[in-house]
Amino acid sequence: MTEVVDLLRRLIRLDTTNPPGNETIAAELLRDYLEAAGVECALHARVPERANLVARIPGRGDGPSLALLSHTDVVLATASEWQRDPFGGELVDGEVWGRGALDMKGEVAASAVAMATLAREGWRGSGDLVFIAAADEEVGDGFGLQWLVEEHPEAVRTDYSLNEGGGERVVVGGRPVYLCSTGEKMSSPFRLRVHGRSGHGSMPGIADNALVKAAPLIARLGDFAAEPRLIPEVEAFFAAVMGEVPEPVQILETARGLGASALEIVEPLVAMTVSPTQVHASDKRNVIPGLCEIVLDVRLLPGQTVGEAEAAIRSTLGDGDYELENLERTGGTRSPIGGPLWDAVASFVETEEPGAVAAPTCCAGFTDSHWVRDAFGTTAYGFFPARSIDPELAARLIHSADERVPVDDLELGVRFLRHAAQTVCA
């Protein structure tokens, strides 16, 4: 059994379901493992049971620094839905099973093993190599990386960072492509409040049913379609896979011509999206609602503003007796494409699979990377290469039953993280 497999199995057996988290048990396991290899470690915790680990191989000087970002909390696993114990960490037919195998204790284990093996070899870069195993990514209640950048900025400030969010191997136009996330869309939900006049359910004629008034507005939002934009990440994606860039009006047609994988990658990245996801009206069957509230899941392209989103939504809705308010905004950051970290990604792909290319993309969701981009201007990419698992299968398994990761992909990830450290911090 390899070192990364053993460590991942031990991590999976620690239940760090968030809530409540209890990530300290994982942080302590990682600390003990890394300190045995001679790596400097510190635990930082807002509350004792929710510790973050920060490990460091100090650089020889003031060269570029690199952080390996990860999180140790996982989402709920309902054991009755699984074929195997979700916290058993079983090794079956070359795959490690358990909650967090893909999201993201596999990368946690690979990062720790990359650090430990480099330390044992006596390697030191010109700049610091930092490993951050943060709490609370899945919920985001201020116990994890957000808290670290606010309360312990010097512990987690680096020039570059690697995190989850990319690394899938897809075939586009007959060519293998490894996706590297260099930016993320912004999550910016809105609440739509439609007003009417309440009344008894048996007398609809004297009421003004807010739910009925909301229905055509919801239907309009279901047909929402913004004008396509060619963002830098999509432009660079096309340049990498086909050597030329289409006009904005031809983005989807061009992607469709390259195959289903290309269309799936590009389609969410050409415009903001609006999806009505929650509705609340009357709390009683016999009361006609005077108010109907609809929550809209809104995702913006990097660089778009909440004001732009509100204007587009109002234009789609038209005039009416409603209110529209933004609830929050998270993510929406991007990093430059190019430079030492991009070179590390591209050179690894070329060496591991001749003929394959690395292509930039923009994560349709968001990760913890936005905290370090916003706080420090860190160049942060999402890239943990996966060659053995089908990307569609991986997408179905994350946050779902029977989550598992191939051993070959864990080993591939260790090789990449070592390569990145030696390239960026050389």
Side-chain angles (χ1 to χ4, degrees), residues 153-176:
E154 292 312 311
V156 295
R157 183 194 306 270
T158 60
D159 300 308
Y160 300 94
S161 71
L162 286 164
N163 195 4
E164 63 182 346
E168 305 95 320
R169 180 191 184 276
V170 297
V171 177
V172 177
R175 188 177 192 182

mmCIF file of all heavy atoms in Angstrom, residues 153-176:
data_model
loop_
_atom_site.group_PDB
_atom_site.id
_atom_site.type_symbol
_atom_site.label_atom_id
_atom_site.label_comp_id
_atom_site.label_asym_id
_atom_site.label_seq_id
_atom_site.Cartn_x
_atom_site.Cartn_y
_atom_site.Cartn_z
ATOM 1 N N PRO A 153 -2.938 36.407 8.718
ATOM 2 C CA PRO A 153 -2.595 36.586 7.306
ATOM 3 C C PRO A 153 -1.169 36.160 6.957
ATOM 4 O O PRO A 153 -0.936 35.610 5.880
ATOM 5 C CB PRO A 153 -2.815 38.080 7.068
ATOM 6 C CG PRO A 153 -2.746 38.702 8.427
ATOM 7 C CD PRO A 153 -3.309 37.678 9.357
ATOM 8 N N GLU A 154 -0.212 36.397 7.855
ATOM 9 C CA GLU A 154 1.169 36.065 7.525
ATOM 10 C C GLU A 154 1.384 34.558 7.458
ATOM 11 O O GLU A 154 2.337 34.087 6.824
ATOM 12 C CB GLU A 154 2.117 36.698 8.550
ATOM 13 C CG GLU A 154 2.149 38.222 8.474
ATOM 14 C CD GLU A 154 2.317 38.738 7.048
ATOM 15 O OE1 GLU A 154 3.231 38.246 6.342
ATOM 16 O OE2 GLU A 154 1.533 39.611 6.618
ATOM 17 N N ALA A 155 0.519 33.797 8.103
ATOM 18 C CA ALA A 155 0.654 32.339 8.069
ATOM 19 C C ALA A 155 0.241 31.760 6.725
ATOM 20 O O ALA A 155 0.717 30.681 6.338
ATOM 21 C CB ALA A 155 -0.168 31.705 9.187
ATOM 22 N N VAL A 156 -0.639 32.454 6.003
ATOM 23 C CA VAL A 156 -1.214 31.876 4.782
ATOM 24 C C VAL A 156 -0.982 32.728 3.538
ATOM 25 O O VAL A 156 -1.480 32.395 2.462
ATOM 26 C CB VAL A 156 -2.724 31.613 4.972
ATOM 27 C CG1 VAL A 156 -2.950 30.552 6.034
ATOM 28 C CG2 VAL A 156 -3.487 32.886 5.345
ATOM 29 N N ARG A 157 -0.227 33.798 3.657
ATOM 30 C CA ARG A 157 0.044 34.660 2.503
ATOM 31 C C ARG A 157 1.122 34.020 1.621
ATOM 32 O O ARG A 157 2.220 33.720 2.092
ATOM 33 C CB ARG A 157 0.515 36.031 2.968
ATOM 34 C CG ARG A 157 0.752 37.039 1.824
ATOM 35 C CD ARG A 157 1.542 38.238 2.318
ATOM 36 N NE ARG A 157 0.926 38.851 3.475
ATOM 37 C CZ ARG A 157 0.024 39.821 3.434
ATOM 38 N NH1 ARG A 157 -0.353 40.302 2.263
ATOM 39 N NH2 ARG A 157 -0.469 40.329 4.549
ATOM 40 N N THR A 158 0.830 33.799 0.369
ATOM 41 C CA THR A 158 1.805 33.285 -0.595
ATOM 42 C C THR A 158 1.604 33.961 -1.938
ATOM 43 O O THR A 158 0.573 34.586 -2.191
ATOM 44 C CB THR A 158 1.694 31.756 -0.779
ATOM 45 O OG1 THR A 158 0.381 31.436 -1.250
ATOM 46 C CG2 THR A 158 1.993 31.006 0.509
ATOM 47 N N ASP A 159 2.591 33.801 -2.803
ATOM 48 C CA ASP A 159 2.487 34.373 -4.146
ATOM 49 C C ASP A 159 1.577 33.551 -5.049
ATOM 50 O O ASP A 159 0.866 34.094 -5.892
ATOM 51 C CB ASP A 159 3.881 34.457 -4.783
ATOM 52 C CG ASP A 159 4.839 35.315 -3.988
ATOM 53 O OD1 ASP A 159 4.481 36.458 -3.670
ATOM 54 O OD2 ASP A 159 5.944 34.835 -3.668
ATOM 55 N N TYR A 160 1.624 32.229 -4.867
ATOM 56 C CA TYR A 160 0.870 31.312 -5.716
ATOM 57 C C TYR A 160 0.165 30.281 -4.838
ATOM 58 O O TYR A 160 0.585 30.014 -3.710
ATOM 59 C CB TYR A 160 1.801 30.585 -6.699
ATOM 60 C CG TYR A 160 2.553 31.509 -7.625
ATOM 61 C CD1 TYR A 160 3.837 31.945 -7.315
ATOM 62 C CD2 TYR A 160 1.973 31.952 -8.808
ATOM 63 C CE1 TYR A 160 4.525 32.814 -8.152
ATOM 64 C CE2 TYR A 160 2.650 32.817 -9.657
ATOM 65 C CZ TYR A 160 3.922 33.246 -9.327
ATOM 66 O OH TYR A 160 4.590 34.106 -10.163
ATOM 67 N N SER A 161 -0.899 29.698 -5.381
ATOM 68 C CA SER A 161 -1.565 28.614 -4.649
ATOM 69 C C SER A 161 -2.230 27.654 -5.620
ATOM 70 O O SER A 161 -2.619 28.034 -6.735
ATOM 71 C CB SER A 161 -2.593 29.154 -3.649
ATOM 72 O OG SER A 161 -3.717 29.681 -4.320
ATOM 73 N N LEU A 162 -2.360 26.399 -5.156
ATOM 74 C CA LEU A 162 -3.065 25.350 -5.888
ATOM 75 C C LEU A 162 -4.172 24.808 -5.012
ATOM 76 O O LEU A 162 -3.984 24.608 -3.813
ATOM 77 C CB LEU A 162 -2.109 24.219 -6.268
ATOM 78 C CG LEU A 162 -1.142 24.515 -7.405
ATOM 79 C CD1 LEU A 162 -0.008 23.507 -7.426
ATOM 80 C CD2 LEU A 162 -1.877 24.518 -8.761
ATOM 81 N N ASN A 163 -5.319 24.540 -5.620
ATOM 82 C CA ASN A 163 -6.489 24.134 -4.857
ATOM 83 C C ASN A 163 -7.315 23.169 -5.726
ATOM 84 O O ASN A 163 -6.935 22.829 -6.845
ATOM 85 C CB ASN A 163 -7.314 25.375 -4.473
ATOM 86 C CG ASN A 163 -8.334 25.126 -3.385
ATOM 87 O OD1 ASN A 163 -8.416 24.036 -2.822
ATOM 88 N ND2 ASN A 163 -9.140 26.129 -3.093
ATOM 89 N N GLU A 164 -8.450 22.758 -5.207
ATOM 90 C CA GLU A 164 -9.406 21.967 -5.975
ATOM 91 C C GLU A 164 -10.048 22.848 -7.047
ATOM 92 O O GLU A 164 -9.844 24.047 -7.097
ATOM 93 C CB GLU A 164 -10.482 21.413 -5.040
ATOM 94 C CG GLU A 164 -11.316 22.489 -4.360
ATOM 95 C CD GLU A 164 -12.352 21.924 -3.396
ATOM 96 O OE1 GLU A 164 -12.619 20.720 -3.436
ATOM 97 O OE2 GLU A 164 -12.895 22.721 -2.602
ATOM 98 N N GLY A 165 -10.867 22.221 -7.892
ATOM 99 C CA GLY A 165 -11.622 22.996 -8.872
ATOM 100 C C GLY A 165 -11.243 22.726 -10.306
ATOM 101 O O GLY A 165 -11.861 23.273 -11.227
ATOM 102 N N GLY A 166 -10.225 21.881 -10.551
ATOM 103 C CA GLY A 166 -9.821 21.579 -11.911
ATOM 104 C C GLY A 166 -8.935 20.351 -11.930
ATOM 105 O O GLY A 166 -8.664 19.733 -10.903
ATOM 106 N N GLY A 167 -8.470 20.000 -13.110
ATOM 107 C CA GLY A 167 -7.608 18.839 -13.276
ATOM 108 C C GLY A 167 -8.240 17.714 -14.063
ATOM 109 O O GLY A 167 -7.583 16.703 -14.359
ATOM 110 N N GLU A 168 -9.524 17.848 -14.418
ATOM 111 C CA GLU A 168 -10.201 16.781 -15.155
ATOM 112 C C GLU A 168 -9.560 16.591 -16.532
ATOM 113 O O GLU A 168 -9.185 17.551 -17.199
ATOM 114 C CB GLU A 168 -11.683 17.112 -15.359
ATOM 115 C CG GLU A 168 -12.448 17.417 -14.097
ATOM 116 C CD GLU A 168 -12.526 18.908 -13.821
ATOM 117 O OE1 GLU A 168 -11.500 19.608 -14.033
ATOM 118 O OE2 GLU A 168 -13.594 19.374 -13.403
ATOM 119 N N ARG A 169 -9.474 15.341 -16.946
ATOM 120 C CA ARG A 169 -9.001 15.028 -18.290
ATOM 121 C C ARG A 169 -10.210 14.775 -19.175
ATOM 122 O O ARG A 169 -11.015 13.892 -18.911
ATOM 123 C CB ARG A 169 -8.104 13.785 -18.278
ATOM 124 C CG ARG A 169 -7.565 13.387 -19.664
ATOM 125 C CD ARG A 169 -6.921 12.017 -19.591
ATOM 126 N NE ARG A 169 -6.309 11.609 -20.851
ATOM 127 C CZ ARG A 169 -6.961 11.041 -21.866
ATOM 128 N NH1 ARG A 169 -8.269 10.793 -21.758
ATOM 129 N NH2 ARG A 169 -6.319 10.696 -22.966
ATOM 130 N N VAL A 170 -10.348 15.574 -20.227
ATOM 131 C CA VAL A 170 -11.438 15.408 -21.180
ATOM 132 C C VAL A 170 -10.827 15.311 -22.576
ATOM 133 O O VAL A 170 -9.665 15.668 -22.790
ATOM 134 C CB VAL A 170 -12.444 16.580 -21.115
ATOM 135 C CG1 VAL A 170 -13.113 16.640 -19.755
ATOM 136 C CG2 VAL A 170 -11.752 17.914 -21.426
ATOM 137 N N VAL A 171 -11.603 14.833 -23.499
ATOM 138 C CA VAL A 171 -11.159 14.760 -24.887
ATOM 139 C C VAL A 171 -11.976 15.775 -25.679
ATOM 140 O O VAL A 171 -13.208 15.714 -25.711
ATOM 141 C CB VAL A 171 -11.327 13.345 -25.465
ATOM 142 C CG1 VAL A 171 -10.931 13.326 -26.945
ATOM 143 C CG2 VAL A 171 -10.489 12.347 -24.678
ATOM 144 N N VAL A 172 -11.284 16.710 -26.301
ATOM 145 C CA VAL A 172 -11.926 17.786 -27.060
ATOM 146 C C VAL A 172 -11.374 17.767 -28.481
ATOM 147 O O VAL A 172 -10.162 17.921 -28.682
ATOM 148 C CB VAL A 172 -11.672 19.159 -26.404
ATOM 149 C CG1 VAL A 172 -12.298 20.266 -27.257
ATOM 150 C CG2 VAL A 172 -12.227 19.197 -24.995
ATOM 151 N N GLY A 173 -12.260 17.550 -29.437
ATOM 152 C CA GLY A 173 -11.812 17.501 -30.823
ATOM 153 C C GLY A 173 -10.784 16.415 -31.061
ATOM 154 O O GLY A 173 -9.872 16.580 -31.883
ATOM 155 N N GLY A 174 -10.882 15.314 -30.301
ATOM 156 C CA GLY A 174 -9.964 14.201 -30.461
ATOM 157 C C GLY A 174 -8.657 14.340 -29.713
ATOM 158 O O GLY A 174 -7.798 13.456 -29.793
ATOM 159 N N ARG A 175 -8.500 15.406 -28.943
ATOM 160 C CA ARG A 175 -7.237 15.664 -28.248
ATOM 161 C C ARG A 175 -7.452 15.646 -26.738
ATOM 162 O O ARG A 175 -8.407 16.243 -26.241
ATOM 163 C CB ARG A 175 -6.687 17.024 -28.663
ATOM 164 C CG ARG A 175 -5.291 17.322 -28.155
ATOM 165 C CD ARG A 175 -4.808 18.660 -28.666
ATOM 166 N NE ARG A 175 -3.392 18.834 -28.441
ATOM 167 C CZ ARG A 175 -2.707 19.935 -28.758
ATOM 168 N NH1 ARG A 175 -3.349 20.959 -29.336
ATOM 169 N NH2 ARG A 175 -1.414 20.025 -28.510
ATOM 170 N N PRO A 176 -6.569 14.975 -25.968
ATOM 171 C CA PRO A 176 -6.712 15.005 -24.512
ATOM 172 C C PRO A 176 -6.382 16.389 -23.958
ATOM 173 O O PRO A 176 -5.372 16.994 -24.329
ATOM 174 C CB PRO A 176 -5.709 13.958 -24.017
ATOM 175 C CG PRO A 176 -4.928 13.498 -25.181
ATOM 176 C CD PRO A 176 -5.476 14.117 -26.415
#
